[in-house]
Amino acid sequence: MATIDPQIQQRAQLWLNAPYDIETIEAVQAMIDKNEVSELTDSFYKDLEFGTGGLRGTMGVGTNRINKYTLGKATQGFSNYLKGLYPSEEIRVVVSYDSRNNSREFAKIVADVFSGNGLIVYFFDELRPTPELSFAIRELNCHGGVMLTASHNPKEYNGYKAYGRDGGQLVAPHDNNVIEEVNKIADLSKIKFEAKEENIKHLGLEMDDTYIQGLKALSLNPSIVEAQKDLKIVYSSIHGTGITVVPKTLEAWGFRNVHLVEEQAKPDGNFPTVVYPNPEEQDAMMLATNKGKELDADVVMATDPDADRVGVAVKDTDGVFQLLNGNQIFSLLAEYVLGSYQESGQSFNNRYIVKTIVTSNLILEIAKKYGVRCYDVLTGFKFIGELMTLKLGEEEFILGGEESYGFLIGDLVRDKDAVVSCAFIAEMTAYFKSKGKTLFEALLDIYSQYGYFKEKQVSLTKKGKAGAEEIKEMMDQFRATPPKYLGGIEIVSIKDYKTSRSLTVSTQQEEVIDLPKSDVLQFITSEGDVISIRPSGTEPKIKFYCNVKLAKGSNIDYQESQRILDEKVDLIMKDLI
C-alpha cells in the first residue's frame, strides 16, 4: 500500500481542525481514510502560486486547490499589500466573476474579505467579462481588482486573476510582493472573512453602457459598417459571460443581423455542449460553425467563459468553414487596423503595436510594411498591459495580441478583450466584403504579400508533483544539450530568456535580452523558423510553439503551402519529443 509523504501528511493534518469548516474537515479525512495518496499529494504538496494568469487550479480542499481558504488567504495578502502600498488613501477594488461553478460564491468570499479589511468593493451584481473588470478599475479610479475565472480551462478549474491600479494583471514586483504577504499569513484567524456590507457597492447595467459606448468610439469605418449592417454574423458565448455584452456591442456598432448559438447562450459552469470551453478547439466551435453553414454566415465567432479570447471561423475559397488560428486572426486585425490608419492619413509616429515572443513574426513583417514600431514582450497578456502603462504619455498603443486568441484594440482596457475583438472582427469582415473579399481571401492576400507562415502549438500534459519535476528536467536537458538541427534545418541562434542571453551559434557571440527573466527557450533556424519551449504558468503542461515559414514568392497555392509546413513542423517535433 502506498504511503503518504510525512510533510504532506503534516500539511493535511492542519486542515482537520477548526477553524476549517466541517465539510472541509470531512473531505480531508475521507482522503486520508481511503489512503488516496495521489490526491492528497496533489492537494497539499505546495501552495497555489501566481503564474502568467494569476491563481488557478482545480476546485477542492487543500493548499494546492481553489477553495474558500486559499482564496481568503490570497485576498487577505492582497489587501495587506494594497494597504501598505497606499497607506493614506481610501482603497477601492472591483470584483467580478464568470460562469464557472462556484464563481459567484468565490467572488462573494473575496468581496467579503476585502470589505472586512476596510476596502471599498465594487461588486458586479451579475457575471461579467474579464475585460469589463479591467475597464471598470480604470473607470472608477480603483486601486485594484479581482476576477474569478479559469478562462478556458476544464470545468473542474477555477481561478483568481489579480489586477493593479492600471487595470492590468499584477506584474513584478507586485505579483511577488503579494505572494510574500500571502505567505506571511500563518493562521486563518488573520483572514477577515466577516464582511462589512456597508463597504460593498453594487455595479449593474450602467457600467455595461459606459464600456460599450467607449468601445463604439474606437470604430475605424462606421460608414462601411452602416453599408454592411446586414452582414451575417454567428456568435456563441460557449456558456460564458460574453452573452452579457458582445451582442449589445455588435448592435451598438450597427450590426443588425447577429445570430446567437442558442444551445450555448445560457451561462453554465458545466459547459454541457463542449469538452473544453476553449474557442481554440474545433469541438467548442462546432455548434457555431454548423450554424454558420446553415445560415451561410459571413463570419462565425465564439468567446471563452470570461470573454477575453475569441475564436473565428470563415469560409475558404471552396465555401467550407475553416477555423483561423490566433496568429491568423491577429495578422488580419493588424493588416486591417494599420491599413485603415494609413487610408485615413493618420501618422504612425509615436504609435506602436505589441506581440508576445511566441507570436508569429508575420506580425512584425506587417508592422515593418506600415512603418510602425512593434514591441516584443514575454508570454502572457499581462506584459502587454504592463508595456501600455509604461508607454502612457510617450507613445500611443494601437493594438496588441498573442497566439492564444487574445487581442486588444485601443487603450480602454489593459487585458485581452474578446468584446472589442468581436466588434473589430465583424467590422473588418464588413470592410473586406465591401472590397468584394471574404476574410479568408484577405488572409490569402497577406500570405501572398509577406510569405506563407504556419503556427502550431504542441502541449505535453504532466500532472502533479511528478509532472512538474519531469517538465523541469526536460527544460534542463534542452539547456544542457541544445539541438544543432531541427527537422534537418540548422539552428543558427538560441535565445534563453531565463538567463537573458541570445547566442549566435556560428560565432558563439552572446547578446543580452532586454526583457524580464522567464523560463523560455527559443531555437531559430537558418530558414527563419522560431521554435519556442516553455512550461505553462497556469496549467500542468510544457508547451512547444512552432512558427515556421516559407520564403516570399514561393510559387505554390495555400493548400500546398500548409502541407509542406505541416511536414516541417512534424519533422521538427520528432527531434524534440
Short mmCIF file of all heavy atoms in Angstrom, two decimals, residues 514-551:
data_model
loop_
_atom_site.label_atom_id
_atom_site.label_comp_id
_atom_site.label_asym_id
_atom_site.label_seq_id
_atom_site.Cartn_x
_atom_site.Cartn_y
_atom_site.Cartn_z
N ASP A 514 16.83 42.12 -23.42
CA ASP A 514 16.35 43.17 -22.51
C ASP A 514 14.87 42.96 -22.16
O ASP A 514 14.00 43.75 -22.51
CB ASP A 514 16.55 44.54 -23.14
CG ASP A 514 16.23 45.67 -22.16
OD1 ASP A 514 16.25 45.41 -20.94
OD2 ASP A 514 15.95 46.80 -22.61
N LEU A 515 14.61 41.84 -21.50
CA LEU A 515 13.28 41.52 -21.00
C LEU A 515 13.43 40.85 -19.65
O LEU A 515 14.49 40.29 -19.35
CB LEU A 515 12.53 40.58 -21.97
CG LEU A 515 11.98 41.15 -23.28
CD1 LEU A 515 11.42 40.04 -24.15
CD2 LEU A 515 10.91 42.21 -23.02
N PRO A 516 12.39 40.86 -18.82
CA PRO A 516 12.50 40.15 -17.54
C PRO A 516 12.79 38.67 -17.76
O PRO A 516 12.45 38.09 -18.80
CB PRO A 516 11.10 40.34 -16.92
CG PRO A 516 10.54 41.54 -17.58
CD PRO A 516 11.10 41.55 -18.96
N LYS A 517 13.43 38.06 -16.80
CA LYS A 517 13.78 36.64 -16.93
C LYS A 517 12.51 35.78 -16.93
O LYS A 517 11.57 36.04 -16.18
CB LYS A 517 14.70 36.21 -15.79
CG LYS A 517 16.08 36.86 -15.84
CD LYS A 517 16.98 36.37 -14.72
CE LYS A 517 18.30 37.13 -14.68
NZ LYS A 517 19.09 36.97 -15.90
N SER A 518 12.53 34.76 -17.78
CA SER A 518 11.38 33.85 -17.88
C SER A 518 11.88 32.51 -18.38
O SER A 518 12.84 32.43 -19.16
CB SER A 518 10.33 34.43 -18.84
OG SER A 518 9.21 33.60 -18.93
N ASP A 519 11.23 31.45 -17.95
CA ASP A 519 11.68 30.10 -18.31
C ASP A 519 11.22 29.75 -19.73
O ASP A 519 10.31 28.93 -19.93
CB ASP A 519 11.13 29.09 -17.30
CG ASP A 519 11.81 27.73 -17.43
OD1 ASP A 519 12.75 27.60 -18.24
OD2 ASP A 519 11.39 26.79 -16.71
N VAL A 520 11.85 30.39 -20.71
CA VAL A 520 11.52 30.19 -22.12
C VAL A 520 12.81 29.99 -22.90
O VAL A 520 13.78 30.72 -22.71
CB VAL A 520 10.75 31.39 -22.72
CG1 VAL A 520 10.37 31.12 -24.16
CG2 VAL A 520 9.52 31.72 -21.89
N LEU A 521 12.81 29.00 -23.79
CA LEU A 521 13.90 28.77 -24.73
C LEU A 521 13.39 28.95 -26.14
O LEU A 521 12.28 28.52 -26.46
CB LEU A 521 14.45 27.35 -24.58
CG LEU A 521 15.58 27.09 -23.60
CD1 LEU A 521 15.84 25.58 -23.53
CD2 LEU A 521 16.86 27.81 -24.02
N GLN A 522 14.22 29.56 -27.00
CA GLN A 522 13.86 29.67 -28.42
C GLN A 522 15.01 29.21 -29.29
O GLN A 522 16.16 29.60 -29.06
CB GLN A 522 13.51 31.12 -28.78
CG GLN A 522 12.13 31.55 -28.33
CD GLN A 522 11.75 32.93 -28.86
OE1 GLN A 522 12.60 33.80 -29.05
NE2 GLN A 522 10.46 33.13 -29.09
N PHE A 523 14.68 28.38 -30.27
CA PHE A 523 15.64 27.95 -31.28
C PHE A 523 15.22 28.56 -32.61
O PHE A 523 14.08 28.37 -33.05
CB PHE A 523 15.67 26.43 -31.39
CG PHE A 523 16.03 25.73 -30.10
CD1 PHE A 523 15.16 24.84 -29.50
CD2 PHE A 523 17.26 25.97 -29.48
CE1 PHE A 523 15.49 24.20 -28.32
CE2 PHE A 523 17.59 25.34 -28.28
CZ PHE A 523 16.70 24.46 -27.70
N ILE A 524 16.14 29.31 -33.25
CA ILE A 524 15.85 29.96 -34.53
C ILE A 524 16.67 29.26 -35.60
O ILE A 524 17.89 29.09 -35.46
CB ILE A 524 16.18 31.47 -34.49
CG1 ILE A 524 15.28 32.18 -33.46
CG2 ILE A 524 15.96 32.09 -35.85
CD1 ILE A 524 15.82 32.30 -32.09
N THR A 525 16.01 28.84 -36.68
CA THR A 525 16.69 28.08 -37.73
C THR A 525 17.20 29.00 -38.84
O THR A 525 16.85 30.18 -38.91
CB THR A 525 15.74 27.04 -38.36
OG1 THR A 525 14.82 27.72 -39.23
CG2 THR A 525 14.99 26.25 -37.30
N SER A 526 17.99 28.41 -39.70
CA SER A 526 18.55 29.17 -40.83
C SER A 526 17.47 29.60 -41.82
O SER A 526 17.70 30.48 -42.64
CB SER A 526 19.60 28.31 -41.56
OG SER A 526 19.00 27.10 -42.02
N GLU A 527 16.28 28.98 -41.74
CA GLU A 527 15.17 29.36 -42.63
C GLU A 527 14.21 30.35 -41.98
O GLU A 527 13.16 30.67 -42.54
CB GLU A 527 14.42 28.10 -43.08
CG GLU A 527 15.29 27.17 -43.92
CD GLU A 527 14.53 25.96 -44.45
OE1 GLU A 527 13.30 25.86 -44.23
OE2 GLU A 527 15.16 25.11 -45.10
N GLY A 528 14.57 30.82 -40.79
CA GLY A 528 13.73 31.82 -40.12
C GLY A 528 12.61 31.25 -39.28
O GLY A 528 11.75 32.00 -38.81
N ASP A 529 12.60 29.93 -39.08
CA ASP A 529 11.61 29.33 -38.20
C ASP A 529 11.97 29.65 -36.75
O ASP A 529 13.16 29.74 -36.40
CB ASP A 529 11.58 27.81 -38.38
CG ASP A 529 11.53 27.42 -39.86
OD1 ASP A 529 10.58 27.82 -40.53
OD2 ASP A 529 12.47 26.72 -40.31
N VAL A 530 10.96 29.77 -35.90
CA VAL A 530 11.19 30.01 -34.48
C VAL A 530 10.44 28.95 -33.68
O VAL A 530 9.22 28.81 -33.80
CB VAL A 530 10.69 31.41 -34.05
CG1 VAL A 530 10.97 31.64 -32.57
CG2 VAL A 530 11.35 32.50 -34.89
N ILE A 531 11.19 28.18 -32.90
CA ILE A 531 10.59 27.15 -32.06
C ILE A 531 10.81 27.56 -30.61
O ILE A 531 11.94 27.69 -30.15
CB ILE A 531 11.20 25.76 -32.34
CG1 ILE A 531 10.80 25.28 -33.74
CG2 ILE A 531 10.68 24.74 -31.33
CD1 ILE A 531 11.64 25.83 -34.86
N SER A 532 9.70 27.78 -29.89
CA SER A 532 9.76 28.24 -28.51
C SER A 532 9.28 27.12 -27.59
O SER A 532 8.32 26.42 -27.90
CB SER A 532 8.88 29.47 -28.32
OG SER A 532 9.18 30.48 -29.27
N ILE A 533 9.95 26.99 -26.44
CA ILE A 533 9.59 25.96 -25.46
C ILE A 533 9.46 26.64 -24.10
O ILE A 533 10.35 27.38 -23.68
CB ILE A 533 10.66 24.86 -25.39
CG1 ILE A 533 11.00 24.34 -26.79
CG2 ILE A 533 10.20 23.72 -24.49
CD1 ILE A 533 12.21 23.41 -26.83
N ARG A 534 8.34 26.35 -23.42
CA ARG A 534 8.14 26.93 -22.09
C ARG A 534 7.18 26.08 -21.29
O ARG A 534 6.24 25.51 -21.84
CB ARG A 534 7.60 28.36 -22.17
CG ARG A 534 6.25 28.48 -22.82
CD ARG A 534 5.73 29.91 -22.83
NE ARG A 534 5.14 30.28 -21.57
CZ ARG A 534 3.83 30.18 -21.28
NH1 ARG A 534 2.98 29.70 -22.19
NH2 ARG A 534 3.37 30.54 -20.12
N PRO A 535 7.39 26.01 -19.98
CA PRO A 535 6.36 25.44 -19.12
C PRO A 535 5.20 26.42 -19.02
O PRO A 535 5.41 27.63 -18.97
CB PRO A 535 7.06 25.29 -17.76
CG PRO A 535 8.50 25.55 -18.01
CD PRO A 535 8.58 26.41 -19.22
N SER A 536 3.97 25.91 -18.98
CA SER A 536 2.82 26.79 -18.81
C SER A 536 2.84 27.38 -17.41
O SER A 536 3.22 26.72 -16.45
CB SER A 536 1.52 26.01 -19.02
OG SER A 536 0.41 26.80 -18.67
N GLY A 537 2.39 28.62 -17.31
CA GLY A 537 2.29 29.25 -15.99
C GLY A 537 0.97 28.96 -15.29
O GLY A 537 0.80 29.28 -14.12
N THR A 538 0.01 28.36 -16.01
CA THR A 538 -1.33 28.17 -15.44
C THR A 538 -1.83 26.74 -15.53
O THR A 538 -2.86 26.41 -14.95
CB THR A 538 -2.34 29.08 -16.16
OG1 THR A 538 -2.31 28.79 -17.57
CG2 THR A 538 -2.01 30.54 -15.94
N GLU A 539 -1.12 25.88 -16.28
CA GLU A 539 -1.57 24.51 -16.48
C GLU A 539 -0.39 23.56 -16.32
O GLU A 539 0.76 23.97 -16.51
CB GLU A 539 -2.18 24.35 -17.88
CG GLU A 539 -3.36 25.24 -18.17
CD GLU A 539 -3.74 25.26 -19.64
OE1 GLU A 539 -3.03 25.89 -20.43
OE2 GLU A 539 -4.74 24.62 -19.98
N PRO A 540 -0.64 22.28 -16.02
CA PRO A 540 0.47 21.32 -15.86
C PRO A 540 0.99 20.84 -17.21
O PRO A 540 0.87 19.67 -17.57
CB PRO A 540 -0.19 20.18 -15.06
CG PRO A 540 -1.62 20.22 -15.49
CD PRO A 540 -1.96 21.67 -15.71
N LYS A 541 1.57 21.76 -17.99
CA LYS A 541 1.98 21.44 -19.35
C LYS A 541 3.33 22.05 -19.68
O LYS A 541 3.73 23.07 -19.12
CB LYS A 541 0.95 22.00 -20.36
CG LYS A 541 -0.43 21.38 -20.31
CD LYS A 541 -1.35 22.04 -21.32
CE LYS A 541 -2.73 21.39 -21.32
NZ LYS A 541 -3.64 22.04 -22.29
N ILE A 542 4.04 21.40 -20.61
CA ILE A 542 5.16 22.03 -21.29
C ILE A 542 4.70 22.28 -22.72
O ILE A 542 4.10 21.41 -23.35
CB ILE A 542 6.44 21.17 -21.23
CG1 ILE A 542 7.60 21.91 -21.91
CG2 ILE A 542 6.24 19.78 -21.81
CD1 ILE A 542 8.97 21.27 -21.67
N LYS A 543 4.93 23.50 -23.19
CA LYS A 543 4.39 23.92 -24.48
C LYS A 543 5.50 24.15 -25.49
O LYS A 543 6.52 24.76 -25.18
CB LYS A 543 3.54 25.19 -24.32
CG LYS A 543 2.30 24.99 -23.45
CD LYS A 543 1.44 26.25 -23.43
CE LYS A 543 0.14 26.01 -22.67
NZ LYS A 543 -0.75 27.18 -22.70
N PHE A 544 5.25 23.69 -26.71
CA PHE A 544 6.16 23.89 -27.84
C PHE A 544 5.41 24.73 -28.89
O PHE A 544 4.35 24.32 -29.36
CB PHE A 544 6.56 22.55 -28.46
CG PHE A 544 7.28 21.62 -27.51
CD1 PHE A 544 6.55 20.82 -26.63
CD2 PHE A 544 8.66 21.54 -27.49
CE1 PHE A 544 7.19 19.95 -25.76
CE2 PHE A 544 9.31 20.67 -26.62
CZ PHE A 544 8.57 19.89 -25.75
N TYR A 545 5.98 25.88 -29.22
CA TYR A 545 5.37 26.76 -30.21
C TYR A 545 6.23 26.70 -31.47
O TYR A 545 7.38 27.16 -31.46
CB TYR A 545 5.32 28.20 -29.72
CG TYR A 545 4.58 28.42 -28.42
CD1 TYR A 545 5.18 28.13 -27.19
CD2 TYR A 545 3.28 28.92 -28.41
CE1 TYR A 545 4.52 28.35 -26.00
CE2 TYR A 545 2.61 29.13 -27.21
CZ TYR A 545 3.23 28.85 -26.01
OH TYR A 545 2.58 29.06 -24.83
N CYS A 546 5.68 26.13 -32.53
CA CYS A 546 6.42 26.02 -33.79
C CYS A 546 5.90 27.06 -34.76
O CYS A 546 4.77 26.96 -35.25
CB CYS A 546 6.26 24.63 -34.39
SG CYS A 546 6.96 23.31 -33.39
N ASN A 547 6.68 28.08 -35.02
CA ASN A 547 6.35 29.11 -36.01
C ASN A 547 7.28 28.92 -37.20
O ASN A 547 8.47 29.24 -37.13
CB ASN A 547 6.52 30.51 -35.42
CG ASN A 547 5.50 30.81 -34.34
OD1 ASN A 547 4.45 30.18 -34.29
ND2 ASN A 547 5.80 31.75 -33.46
N VAL A 548 6.73 28.35 -38.28
CA VAL A 548 7.54 28.02 -39.45
C VAL A 548 7.08 28.84 -40.65
O VAL A 548 5.97 29.37 -40.67
CB VAL A 548 7.47 26.50 -39.75
CG1 VAL A 548 8.10 25.70 -38.62
CG2 VAL A 548 6.04 26.05 -39.99
N LYS A 549 7.95 28.92 -41.65
CA LYS A 549 7.63 29.79 -42.78
C LYS A 549 8.24 29.27 -44.07
O LYS A 549 9.16 28.44 -44.07
CB LYS A 549 8.14 31.21 -42.51
CG LYS A 549 9.64 31.30 -42.26
CD LYS A 549 10.09 32.72 -41.96
CE LYS A 549 10.05 33.60 -43.19
NZ LYS A 549 10.78 34.87 -43.00
N LEU A 550 7.71 29.78 -45.17
CA LEU A 550 8.30 29.61 -46.50
C LEU A 550 8.64 30.99 -47.03
O LEU A 550 7.99 31.98 -46.69
CB LEU A 550 7.32 28.92 -47.46
CG LEU A 550 6.95 27.47 -47.16
CD1 LEU A 550 5.86 26.99 -48.12
CD2 LEU A 550 8.18 26.57 -47.26
N ALA A 551 9.64 31.04 -47.86
CA ALA A 551 10.09 32.33 -48.38
C ALA A 551 9.02 32.98 -49.24
O ALA A 551 8.20 32.31 -49.87
CB ALA A 551 11.37 32.15 -49.18
#
